Amino acid sequence: MAIRGLTREQAAARLGAEGANELPSAKPRSFLAIAWEVLREPMILLLVAAGVIYLILGEPRDSLVLLISIFVILGIDLYQQNKTERALEALRDLSSPRALVIRDGVQTRIAGRDVVRGDIVILTEGDRVPADGVVLSCVSLTVDESLLTGESVPVRKSPGDQNLSMARPGGDELPFVYSGTLVVQGHGVAEIKETGSRTELGRVGKALQTIEPEASHLKTEIKRVVGIMAVLGLSICALVALFHGLSSGSWLSGILVGITVAMSLLPEEFAVVLTVFLALGAWRISQRNVLTRRASAIETLGSATVLCVDKTGTLTQNRMSVKKLFAAGQIQELDTSGGLPLRDGLSELLEFGVLASQREGFDPMDSALQHAAKNYLGTAKLLHQTWEFAREYPLSPKLLAVTRVWQSPAQDGRIIAVKGALGAVAELCRISQSQFEEIKNSAEAMAGEGLRILAVARADFGSGALPPDPHEFEFKFLGMVGFADPVRPDVANAVQECYAAGIRVVMITGDFAGTAQSIARQIQLQGSERALTGPELDRMDEATLRREVRSTNIFARVVPEQKLRLIEALKANGDIVAMTGDGVNDAPALKAAHIGIAMGARGTDVAREAADLVLLDDAFPSIVQAIRLGRRIFDNLKKAMAYVMAVHVPIAGLALVPVLLKWPLVMLPLHVVFLELVIDPASSVAFEAEPEESDVMQRPPRNPKQPLFDRRTLALSLLQGAGVLLAVLGVFAAAMHRGEAETNVRALTFTTLILANLALILTNRSWTRTILNMWRSPNPAVWWVVLGAASFLGVVIYVPPIQTLFRFSRLHASDIALCLSAGLLSIAWFEALKVLGRLYRFRTL
């Protein structure tokens, strides 16, 4: 009788009544905790100090405005924090351990947190058990329970009655499995009895691990830059305060000027920008069906030079159908309708292929055999339904075949069916070398058409005790079944996109070389005429292997253990390697690769835990999309950091130059706060939302050793800042020369700085396209920042109370035109550089 499991309605009701299958996690930080963290930032402390000095100087209005500005900055930080937390929460939901359950009679993979009491769960090698349950049926099921018992030796499981109550873990041959433990061998079906905090894991107080931020190369570099600028800023702050105090005689005023200088030099935006970019970047990548488990993978994505991928389910649809049958030297092609009768010997081949498969048919090949039997034998639903299953000899690394033993009520003896790799089944059948070569030629011909081959054999056995090893049966070779797995329709374009981006694609598969080469030709993989097999790899020393992997793009008949050798050889050649994997034995290779990519749908939990990324739909184009997004994220991060560096140059210059030249002070703490209200959202939100450059996948991979602030980027950034500073000082000097009042000089200078800042934002949206060419690339976040900044500028210039606070006078239309012209002129050279870059084919970024 087929297992139906719970209905979706029953599962939803129990989930609502009993809660999610998760342990209590740490409470989210409260508003006060986040606020206290923000208040300890150096920028806030400087604002508080400035407010206290204004109070002492008898300027309570200025002090109040600075206090209000603290709350405004706190609000922006809380918004950014909330956006980041929502992105991380979405990632945590995706990274919840997956469980394969049967609901409404259909196999469904769900998040582990959605498993409920009464669910029927399918457990296979490499899975984490999602909750406590009773084993209903199993074959060679062995579980590592060291998480609960401390015992390192895995324990064997045996089936039990579904009415049993849960018992404590420990010991062999018990029918219970426990949340968090690992299936290391075999497979089974269990009914869930307890979930969440009611599990054994919950009772002993274990907590689920969460994604922790890692000290990536970017974080280390930015921490170093921020440290240098902080020391520099505080040193200059002290010197300026001392100089102004001595020259003016007003020490409080000197400290106020020093605080302004420190605020203008502190690059507190860097840490915020990096946090927001990595969190939102990981969230964006998850929208392309790729889960980021380690933030460092985002910065490495754009450096990948080699992409090693499995064939089945990644390049193909993993939707098997029986395409051809081979028996007694004859090959017959099947159609989906079953209209053509089977030739002699092929019915028995198909029949024993079904007997060697699971009755439920969860495996794609088992399902394909069941479907073909239904079409061609006509009695698939009744086929051997009265036969009793006696034993299974599972597939193992030493014998790549599954043997199943059946007892027929009409016969005293037993019937044995085996299916598996041709070499393994031929060994069991003890066929001669000449026969094997003949059969192998037919197998290679079928594999050359892109078919996956399984051999089938049968044996008869008396009523005595079954032998411990299937080699002791007298098998008769029946033939081979050829399965077709269609290529995903969008793979060929994705492969060409990789080639355009300078990324080499390497196929690693356990299938025959002919099958792999046929698929390679369909997806236009380079070098499809040559393939290396696993046995050939075993005969190579490391030097030979390193030489061969430089030019070979197809590796066939490869077992998981050999993947690690291939990854190490590619790394030894200087490649940055991304690799996909799904099995327990793939975990070492996934960890060894620079970017380990685990399969989310068919992969094991062990593979997912070892990987940097999890491919939720197992599709190759999703990997390419992740690489595209990784490049976009790094490009935009670089633009944001360059902008932050550039904009601090004129701010610091306007704080320092008037002190040194004894001009009127233009920059006061309040003005720096206004600028921060523009810089913060521009650098962390607007640039993050910027669309990718048109050539993002037409350029070679980025050198991973290249720093974020390389000499070229730093030079261009400082030149941008210097250009703005010169334009602003030009307006400042012109106003002074005309004998303008101090309030008018300050208003003109500050307005020029704001408009030049907005021009900096627009020009840094792209380092290859001009501002005029960017109108076709919408980025609403940028225009909200520009519109907001322009509106606030209008308020501080034309609303009398605010105008007085900022110590401004009203500007005329001609004044605004002068400021706007100076602001645009400050970035005109960079726009011209972009045009020259297109004409002479060089990149500024």
Side-chain angles (χ1 to χ4, degrees):
M1 180 179 176
I3 300 174
R4 298 290 302 171
L6 298 177
T7 64
R8 296 184 186 279
E9 292 74 18
Q10 288 174 324
R14 290 190 184 180
L15 187 63
E18 300 177 2
N21 178 38
E22 56 188 4
L23 302 181
S25 57
K27 292 182 179 179
R29 290 183 302 164
S30 65
F31 174 85
L32 290 177
I34 297 174
W36 175 243
E37 186 175 316
V38 174
L39 288 171
R40 289 184 296 171
E41 291 290 327
M43 176 64 72
I44 301 298
L45 296 176
L46 289 171
L47 283 174
V48 171
V52 171
I53 291 173
Y54 272 125
L55 276 176
I56 296 173
L57 291 174
E59 298 284 353
R61 188 170 52 182
D62 293 279
S63 179
L64 180 62
V65 170
L66 288 181
L67 182 62
I68 293 172
S69 70
I70 291 173
F71 286 101
V72 174
I73 292 174
L74 178 64
I76 292 176
D77 281 354
L78 287 172
Y79 168 77
Q80 292 171 331
Q81 193 82 251
N82 182 54
K83 194 166 184 176
T84 300
E85 283 298 322
R86 280 184 301 176
L88 290 175
E89 187 61 36
L91 294 178
R92 290 190 192 105
D93 287 344
L94 285 173
S95 62
S96 172
R98 315 295 285 174
L100 192 61
V101 301
I102 301 174
R103 288 185 179 171
D104 290 318
V106 178
Q107 172 184 307
T108 307
R109 192 171 291 277
I110 63 174
R113 68 189 308 274
D114 294 332
V115 172
V116 298
R117 182 175 53 82
D119 259 329
I120 303 299
V121 179
I122 301 168
L123 302 173
T124 58
E125 182 178 330
D127 287 348
R128 289 278 178 194
V129 179
D132 291 5
V134 174
V135 178
L136 303 181
S137 64
C138 64
V139 176
S140 305
L141 185 63
T142 307
V143 181
D144 178 0
E145 296 182 346
S146 57
L147 177 69
L148 297 173
T149 64
E151 178 55 56
S152 59
V153 178
V155 293
R156 296 185 304 277
K157 297 296 176 180
S158 60
D161 189 277
Q162 66 183 103
N163 296 319
L164 286 172
S165 299
M166 292 300 300
R168 301 300 300 274
D172 285 319
E173 305 300 338
L174 294 176
F176 306 110
V177 287
Y178 302 91
S179 175
T181 58
L182 175 67
V183 179
V184 295
Q185 186 178 347
H187 55 85
V189 175
E191 180 180 335
I192 298 303
K193 294 293 184 179
E194 301 289 354
T195 61
S197 58
R198 295 174 294 278
T199 63
E200 191 70 24
L201 188 64
R203 280 194 289 271
V204 298
K206 299 288 183 178
L208 289 175
Q209 294 181 344
T210 56
I211 298 174
E212 295 291 338
E214 298 179 355
S216 66
H217 172 72
L218 278 179
K219 286 187 177 180
T220 304
E221 182 184 354
I222 287 174
K223 185 177 180 180
R224 180 177 60 84
V225 172
V226 169
I228 292 172
M229 292 189 69
V231 171
L232 181 66
L234 293 174
S235 302
I236 295 175
C237 163
L239 291 173
V240 168
L242 182 63
F243 176 80
H244 189 78
L246 290 172
S247 59
S248 67
S250 173
W251 289 102
L252 282 176
S253 178
I255 294 173
L256 197 60
V257 172
I259 287 174
T260 304
V261 171
M263 290 172 62
S264 67
L265 285 172
L266 278 179
E268 78 287 345
E269 301 93 353
F270 282 167
V272 174
V273 168
L274 183 62
T275 301
V276 170
F277 266 70
L278 291 182
L280 292 184
W283 176 78
R284 287 188 190 280
I285 289 176
S286 75
Q287 303 307 294
R288 299 294 191 276
N289 291 313
V290 181
L291 169 66
T292 304
R293 297 195 71 253
R294 294 178 177 84
S296 57
I298 294 176
E299 61 182 277
T300 313
L301 273 171
S303 302
T305 60
V306 175
L307 183 51
C308 298
V309 294
D310 188 16
K311 176 183 70 67
T312 304
T314 308
L315 301 177
T316 62
Q317 297 179 24
N318 198 23
R319 183 172 51 82
M320 290 291 181
S321 62
V322 177
K323 188 71 173 176
K324 288 190 176 183
L325 297 177
F326 168 87
Q330 299 184 74
I331 295 179
Q332 179 173 340
E333 185 167 346
L334 308 188
D335 59 26
T336 55
S337 64
L340 295 175
L342 292 178
R343 297 173 188 163
D344 292 341
L346 296 180
S347 295
E348 185 181 22
L349 167 63
L350 191 54
E351 176 188 357
F352 275 82
V354 172
L355 286 172
S357 305
Q358 294 283 342
R359 267 182 173 166
E360 296 297 333
F362 292 128
D363 180 86
M365 289 189 176
D366 289 354
S367 299
L369 283 165
Q370 298 278 0
H371 183 73
K374 178 181 178 182
N375 286 340
Y376 281 90
L377 303 182
T379 55
K381 291 185 177 180
L382 303 175
L383 188 66
H384 312 302
Q385 290 296 308
T386 60
W387 288 24
E388 182 181 347
F389 173 70
R391 180 174 178 178
E392 178 176 293
Y393 296 87
L395 181 143
S396 69
K398 294 182 179 179
L399 182 65
L400 298 177
V402 175
T403 305
R404 292 172 66 83
V405 181
W406 297 88
Q407 176 69 58
S408 168
Q411 299 178 22
D412 293 334
R414 280 158 286 190
I415 303 296
I416 297 96
V418 61
K419 77 176 191 313
L422 174 58
V425 175
E427 176 190 331
L428 289 173
C429 295
R430 302 178 182 88
I431 63 177
S432 66
Q433 185 63 33
S434 60
Q435 286 180 299
F436 179 72
E437 289 299 325
E438 183 180 340
I439 295 170
K440 185 181 176 183
N441 290 336
S442 298
E444 289 176 349
M446 293 168 67
E449 300 174 20
L451 302 183
R452 189 168 182 179
I453 310 301
L454 283 183
V456 178
R458 67 164 294 174
D460 297 284
F461 193 77
S463 58
L466 290 170
D469 191 325
H471 285 87
E472 298 183 33
F473 294 119
E474 296 291 334
F475 281 107
K476 172 190 173 185
F477 188 82
L478 296 180
M480 296 179 294
V481 182
F483 298 85
D485 185 7
V487 170
R488 290 178 182 265
D490 46 2
V491 165
N493 289 336
V495 169
Q496 296 311 307
E497 195 172 0
C498 284
Y499 291 149
I503 302 169
R504 181 174 147 222
V505 181
V506 175
M507 183 197 302
I508 303 176
T509 178
D511 271 352
F512 282 102
T515 305
Q517 287 174 294
S518 173
I519 297 296
R521 286 190 291 270
Q522 293 178 56
I523 65 173
Q524 301 173 41
L525 188 76
Q526 294 175 357
S528 59
E529 67 282 350
R530 181 171 183 263
L532 280 177
T533 64
E536 289 174 320
L537 294 179
D538 284 337
R539 291 193 293 269
M540 292 180 185
D541 58 24
E542 297 307 317
T544 305
L545 181 59
R546 286 199 298 271
R547 185 173 63 252
E548 290 294 333
V549 297
R550 288 192 180 99
S551 56
T552 304
N553 293 333
I554 301 174
F555 297 91
R557 306 305 288 167
V558 172
V559 296
E561 290 80 2
Q562 291 170 327
K563 288 185 180 181
L564 180 59
R565 284 193 71 203
L566 290 172
I567 298 304
E568 295 293 358
L570 288 165
K571 288 170 63 179
N573 289 338
D575 283 307
I576 304 300
V577 185
M579 177 220 158
T580 65
D582 57 7
V584 176
N585 292 334
D586 287 336
L590 288 171
K591 269 195 170 296
H594 296 99
I595 309 168
I597 306 170
M599 299 295 103
R602 72 177 190 275
T604 62
D605 284 340
V606 174
R608 286 191 285 268
E609 289 173 11
D612 304 293
L613 303 174
V614 177
L615 202 59
L616 299 178
D617 60 359
D618 292 4
F620 176 77
S622 295
I623 305 175
V624 181
Q625 286 298 315
I627 292 173
R628 174 186 286 272
L629 277 171
R631 290 187 173 195
R632 167 191 160 179
I633 291 164
F634 191 86
D635 277 359
N636 288 346
L637 180 61
K638 201 167 186 177
K639 294 171 190 174
M641 295 297 187
Y643 160 74
V644 171
M645 183 72 76
V647 79
H648 274 275
V649 173
I651 298 173
L654 281 180
L656 280 170
V657 171
V659 175
L660 299 176
L661 299 182
K662 297 187 178 179
W663 289 0
L665 295 178
V666 175
M667 297 296 292
L668 299 172
L670 188 59
H671 301 119
V672 178
V673 168
F674 183 98
L675 284 161
E676 290 296 330
L677 296 181
V678 178
I679 296 170
D680 273 354
S683 58
S684 61
V685 177
F687 281 108
E688 193 280 330
E690 187 63 32
E692 67 214 27
E693 298 282 352
S694 58
D695 68 341
V696 70
M697 291 297 279
Q698 276 81 49
R699 63 177 98 130
R702 179 180 59 85
N703 184 344
K705 295 181 181 178
Q706 177 186 350
L708 185 65
F709 290 109
D710 55 22
R711 292 181 180 178
R712 189 178 190 181
T713 304
L714 188 59
L716 286 172
S717 179
L718 294 178
L719 282 173
Q720 285 184 6
V724 172
L725 179 58
L726 287 174
V728 173
L729 287 178
V731 172
F732 193 168
M736 291 282 292
H737 181 72
R738 292 202 310 258
E740 302 272 359
E742 183 176 319
T743 54
N744 212 44
V745 171
R746 184 176 290 111
L748 282 166
T749 306
F750 188 76
T751 300
T752 304
L753 178 59
I754 292 295
L755 294 176
N757 182 16
L758 296 182
L760 265 183
I761 294 171
L762 294 176
T763 195
N764 277 292
R765 282 185 62 194
S766 173
W767 280 27
T768 58
R769 293 169 294 153
T770 63
I771 292 176
L772 295 177
N773 290 333
M774 280 187 278
W775 295 105
R776 288 170 296 193
S777 299
N779 183 350
V782 165
W783 298 113
W784 279 112
V785 170
V786 171
L787 181 62
S791 301
F792 280 122
L793 180 62
V795 169
V796 299
I797 292 175
Y798 296 110
V799 176
I802 309 298
Q803 183 189 96
T804 304
L805 273 176
F806 276 77
R807 294 170 173 79
F808 288 165
S809 60
R810 187 182 185 87
L811 296 181
H812 302 291
S814 59
D815 297 326
I816 298 294
L818 172 67
C819 297
L820 181 60
S821 300
L824 293 175
L825 187 63
S826 70
I827 54 96
W829 68 272
F830 191 62
E831 291 291 292
L833 187 64
K834 296 179 190 178
V835 175
L836 290 174
R838 284 207 309 274
L839 290 175
Y840 294 100
R841 299 179 183 277
F842 67 86
R843 289 185 56 83
T844 50
L845 184 62

